[in-house]
Amino acid sequence: MEDESEGRKLLVLYGSQTGAAEEVAERIGREARRRFIVPNVLAMDDYNIVNLIEENLVIFVCATTGDGEEPDNMKVFWKFLLRKNLPSHCLQSLTYAVLGLGDSSYPKFNFIAKKLFKRLAQLGAQELVALGLADDQHDLGPDAVIDPWLKKLWEKILEIIPLPVGKEIISSSIKPLPRYKVTILSDKDSHNELTKADAGCNGKTDIPHNNVNDEVGSTVSKDCPYLSTIVENERVTTPDHFQDVRLITFDLTSSGTSYSPGDVLMIQPSNLSDVADEFINYLGLNPNQKILLSQNYPDISLPKHLPQPCTVKHLVENYWDIQGVPRRYFFELLSHLTDSELEEEKLQEFNTAEGQEELYSYCYRPRRTTLEVLEDFPHASKNITLEYLFDLISPLKPRAFSIASSIKAHPNKVQILMAVVKYKTNLYKPRVGVCSTWLASLDERMKNVRIPVWIKKATISFPKTLETPVIMIGPGTGCAPFRSFIEERTCECNQGGECVLFFGSRSRHKDYFFEQEWLPLQNDGRLTLFTAFSRDQENKIYVQHRLKENNAFVWDLIERQGAWCFLAGNSKQMPSDVSDVLQEIFTREGKLTEEQAEGYFKQLIRTKRYQRETWA
């Protein structure tokens, strides 16, 4: 097929934070192969952007993350593309299409996709199809936009790159080759391969989570994480509180890394051993079997962080996201593996446009896990081979946590404030967070457990000068980055600009984080603290109510003293409520019209004097 496809190539570039955009890009790659087109699917930062002027056809798939920011793996690409000295017609030979993945509950819905689409046009590129804007909030999920957009895309691509003479699109009913070849090794083969393997950044062939070697490379990063241990794992909510929240301290000694307030700690999680064992037992896998991967497709690289060779147990515990909700392609591929007509019919239905509502009700709304789906399709499960597990199950993604400490107050350590995720759906078993549940199970006595971590710089950036007043709005675990800033500022000086915190939780007596630290600072005049405990009285009180009660004080700080304002917390209703209250304050205290207040607020955002960090 590759020889017949010579000269028939397609470049697909993605910017992905959680993996969703990457999965869509890979889907485009699979669809290209069915049309005898050789795809090259890459993260934008893995592509040499200077070659873009020589490309004829490129498909871009990009997510928007944070408060209208580009994903980490397209930052370099995006920075280059925004250079003002690029000639206005440098991409005139390029035809392009852009598909954005976003969430309309955020103000800057699909902001990066819109900017990328516009920027490519500014540089002379020609659009192939209209901009696609997928929305997580749609009743049927992002596929409600993705499916019809892709249909139109392929119609246009086949006008440019027609099928070879005598060829037809390879039927989707034909089982595709797996992404990797898997070789089962004997003990002797395994030893030989182990001695040949690349040593990697830690001077080892593996970065397992139970590694006890203390060697670190010169630079800690995603590609070379630091293997940390937990120094302390303290529950900071009372035992009778509905939510288990932890203040977890990690050791950074000998890491050679530092951090600042607003930075984020990235953690590569593992699956719990009992969950991994359940998966292994159900599929009848041999946990001690050693395997070696090789490429099936030239454009699909081998996993960067997977040791070669490795055991099945390592894959299940540390690589595959077996507790994640399956992707749509999972059901398509599973339909090729079953020998049951009933299962095949149902799995194929899940991959039709008409079946999306049922798929959403069955899988996505209740957050059904991979293993739970496999248990519902036993005929398919018994035919799964190791090769196809790499296609069926996504790799575990790193998790991001706002840093809750100052390195000046906690030398060689970093702390996070983490809520252990656990909630009910209509399924029997509660849903749990992979990373939070795993971390909560660890404590300082488990010195043999090494946790891959690295620092991601400044999600929110605080003012550099100590004299600048700061207003921080942080309900719940949203107070984490503000605790970091408060510690940093109080370590640096006893005086400075006004430091104001609006903190909210359910109860003063059950989940009032850092009370023993903040009250003395308040008494010393180094912190102005407003609290809102929603369940301690009949009427619910939230941080936005406290803001409203202190509207003159807030306006004076922002308008007359030049305060910077920050918000961190859950992305559901709170951020928009706070925005509404702030604009009310601008109207009431600043005597602005609603239109002027909105413009004033947008100006604060543009000048970084209002920043927010929110999460679902």
Side-chain angles (χ1 to χ4, degrees):
M1 189 178 87
E2 289 170 19
D3 291 337
E4 295 171 343
S5 303
E6 186 63 35
R8 301 167 49 79
K9 297 180 180 180
L10 177 66
L11 178 61
V12 184
L13 298 177
Y14 63 84
S16 185
Q17 193 70 20
T18 64
E22 180 179 358
E23 289 166 10
V24 175
E26 289 177 349
R27 176 180 173 185
I28 295 172
R30 291 192 299 269
E31 291 295 310
R33 292 188 187 95
R34 290 180 50 223
R35 291 161 174 81
F36 301 93
I37 297 172
V38 178
N40 189 16
V41 182
L42 293 169
M44 292 189 205
D45 281 356
D46 290 338
Y47 173 75
N48 187 350
I49 192 171
V50 298
N51 295 332
L52 199 61
I53 59 172
E54 301 172 4
E55 301 288 352
N56 296 316
L57 178 60
V58 182
I59 313 303
F60 297 89
V61 185
C62 65
T64 295
T65 185
D67 197 13
E69 297 171 358
E70 68 279 7
D72 289 342
N73 59 7
M74 72 171 281
K75 286 186 181 296
V76 175
F77 181 97
W78 185 231
K79 185 177 180 180
F80 184 93
L81 206 63
L82 291 177
R83 286 170 56 171
K84 293 181 180 179
N85 62 348
L86 292 178
S88 60
H89 298 292
C90 63
L91 297 182
Q92 60 186 0
S93 64
L94 176 68
T95 300
Y96 72 97
V98 177
L99 175 62
L101 274 64
D103 186 325
S104 59
S105 69
Y106 287 80
K108 293 188 175 181
F109 170 60
N110 264 315
F111 184 72
I112 295 302
K114 294 172 183 175
K115 294 268 287 185
L116 175 62
F117 189 85
K118 183 178 179 181
R119 182 57 177 159
L120 291 167
Q122 289 173 343
L123 296 175
Q126 305 299 311
E127 69 174 79
L128 180 64
V129 294
L131 172 64
L133 299 175
D135 184 5
D136 282 346
Q137 293 298 318
H138 193 284
D139 289 343
L140 300 180
D143 284 335
V145 170
I146 294 171
D147 286 359
W149 188 87
L150 288 179
K151 182 180 179 182
K152 186 69 175 178
L153 176 74
W154 287 116
E155 290 172 357
K156 291 292 187 179
I157 288 178
L158 288 181
E159 292 176 7
I160 299 172
I161 313 176
L163 289 167
V165 177
K167 295 291 186 180
E168 294 182 354
I169 298 173
I170 298 171
S171 172
S172 60
S173 64
I174 296 175
K175 182 171 68 174
L177 283 173
R179 61 192 296 117
Y180 305 124
K181 296 175 185 175
V182 174
T183 303
I184 307 297
L185 301 178
S186 66
D187 289 341
K188 181 180 178 181
D189 292 333
S190 177
H191 176 75
N192 291 338
E193 291 295 337
L194 194 62
T195 58
K196 292 189 293 181
D198 180 10
C201 69
N202 279 336
K204 300 183 65 63
T205 57
D206 195 352
I207 308 180
H209 297 174
N210 63 346
N211 194 297
V212 295
N213 194 296
D214 286 325
E215 294 176 76
V216 292
S218 57
T219 304
V220 173
S221 65
K222 180 180 179 180
D223 291 332
C224 187
Y226 178 64
L227 302 183
S228 179
T229 56
I230 288 178
V231 176
E232 190 173 8
N233 192 339
E234 176 192 4
R235 176 167 177 150
V236 291
T237 48
T238 57
D240 62 336
H241 189 55
F242 84 103
Q243 191 173 48
D244 180 357
V245 178
R246 304 294 182 100
L247 181 65
I248 304 179
T249 306
F250 297 87
D251 178 39
L252 291 182
T253 306
S254 79
S255 69
T257 192
S258 185
Y259 58 87
S260 302
D263 288 350
V264 169
L265 183 70
M266 303 299 297
I267 299 175
Q268 182 64 45
S270 287
N271 292 302
L272 292 171
S273 295
D274 58 344
V275 175
D277 290 342
E278 184 181 5
F279 183 88
I280 288 169
N281 292 336
Y282 181 75
L283 290 183
L285 304 175
N286 177 359
N288 299 316
Q289 199 166 57
K290 295 184 178 68
I291 67 157
L292 192 68
L293 294 184
S294 54
Q295 289 178 285
N296 250 344
Y297 300 100
D299 62 295
I300 299 181
S301 302
L302 297 177
K304 289 181 180 178
H305 304 299
L306 195 63
Q308 291 265 51
C310 72
T311 64
V312 169
K313 185 177 180 66
H314 179 87
L315 286 168
V316 178
E317 284 194 347
N318 301 316
Y319 183 73
W320 286 320
D321 188 8
I322 58 174
Q323 297 177 81
V325 177
R327 303 167 295 167
R328 181 173 163 182
Y329 181 59
F330 174 96
F331 297 95
E332 178 185 335
L333 187 53
L334 213 58
S335 71
H336 293 297
L337 301 178
T338 185
D339 51 21
S340 161
E341 289 185 13
L342 191 63
E343 285 189 3
E344 183 179 8
E345 182 180 343
K346 175 54 68 177
L347 290 163
Q348 288 177 348
E349 183 184 347
F350 283 156
N351 280 283
T352 63
E354 298 76 21
Q356 288 312 291
E357 188 170 354
E358 188 174 354
L359 175 60
Y360 186 79
S361 297
Y362 165 71
C363 187
Y364 301 138
R365 183 177 291 122
R367 311 295 296 171
R368 201 177 295 268
T369 68
T370 295
L371 181 57
E372 288 169 336
V373 173
L374 292 177
E375 289 172 339
D376 286 344
F377 294 91
H379 290 275
S381 300
K382 67 182 175 65
N383 293 325
I384 294 174
T385 60
L386 281 173
E387 286 91 346
Y388 281 107
L389 282 174
F390 286 93
D391 293 76
L392 287 165
I393 307 174
S394 301
L396 276 165
K397 302 294 183 186
R399 271 50 169 189
F401 294 91
S402 296
I403 291 175
S405 58
S406 164
I407 202 163
K408 294 178 180 178
H410 306 273
N412 297 318
K413 295 180 178 66
V414 63
Q415 295 180 325
I416 62 170
L417 186 67
M418 179 197 76
V420 181
V421 176
K422 185 176 183 179
Y423 59 95
K424 289 286 292 182
T425 67
N426 60 7
L427 300 178
Y428 174 72
K429 286 183 178 179
R431 308 294 91 184
V432 298
V434 173
C435 187
S436 63
T437 305
W438 173 62
L439 287 175
S441 73
L442 308 175
D443 62 40
E444 59 273 15
R445 293 168 296 178
M446 304 173 76
K447 295 299 184 185
N448 64 320
V449 178
R450 296 301 176 95
I451 302 158
V453 303
W454 61 98
I455 304 293
K456 192 175 89 172
K457 302 305 289 183
T459 301
I460 53 179
S461 54
F462 291 97
K464 302 299 182 187
T465 58
L466 297 173
E467 293 75 23
T468 304
V470 171
I471 301 171
M472 299 165 284
I473 307 160
T477 56
C479 71
F482 306 141
R483 194 255 191 161
S484 174
F485 176 77
I486 291 166
E487 281 196 334
E488 185 95 350
R489 180 167 276 196
T490 52
C491 280
E492 288 180 338
C493 70
N494 291 324
Q495 294 183 350
E498 187 92 43
C499 197
V500 181
L501 173 65
F502 288 84
F503 171 76
S505 66
R506 288 199 170 198
S507 172
R508 177 183 295 275
H509 305 292
K510 295 184 177 183
D511 58 347
Y512 187 177
F513 310 134
F514 310 119
E515 176 185 13
Q516 301 308 314
E517 298 177 18
W518 289 340
L519 289 181
L521 293 175
Q522 185 183 37
N523 294 335
D524 291 344
R526 290 190 283 170
L527 176 67
T528 302
L529 180 62
F530 298 100
T531 56
F533 301 106
S534 62
R535 306 303 171 92
D536 280 356
Q537 62 284 311
E538 187 175 342
N539 297 324
K540 292 191 174 82
I541 298 175
Y542 299 112
V543 287
Q544 57 266 32
H545 298 126
R546 296 302 189 213
L547 279 167
K548 203 168 187 176
E549 292 168 2
N550 295 276
N551 51 17
F553 175 63
V554 171
W555 172 252
D556 181 74
L557 281 172
I558 294 175
E559 171 61 15
R560 297 184 179 89
Q561 299 185 44
W564 290 31
C565 189
F566 299 89
L567 169 73
N570 192 286
S571 64
K572 290 182 180 177
Q573 191 61 37
M574 183 270 298
S576 60
D577 287 343
V578 168
S579 297
D580 290 344
V581 167
L582 286 173
Q583 290 180 66
E584 283 181 34
I585 291 172
F586 303 157
T587 302
R588 179 176 300 178
E589 297 298 324
K591 310 302 181 188
L592 305 180
T593 65
E594 288 187 7
E595 186 177 346
Q596 288 171 333
E598 184 179 352
Y600 187 89
F601 188 62
K602 288 180 178 178
Q603 177 65 13
L604 291 177
I605 294 172
R606 279 194 296 270
T607 57
K608 297 290 186 180
R609 285 182 56 204
Y610 181 78
Q611 299 176 43
R612 57 181 234 170
E613 177 183 273
T614 59
W615 54 85

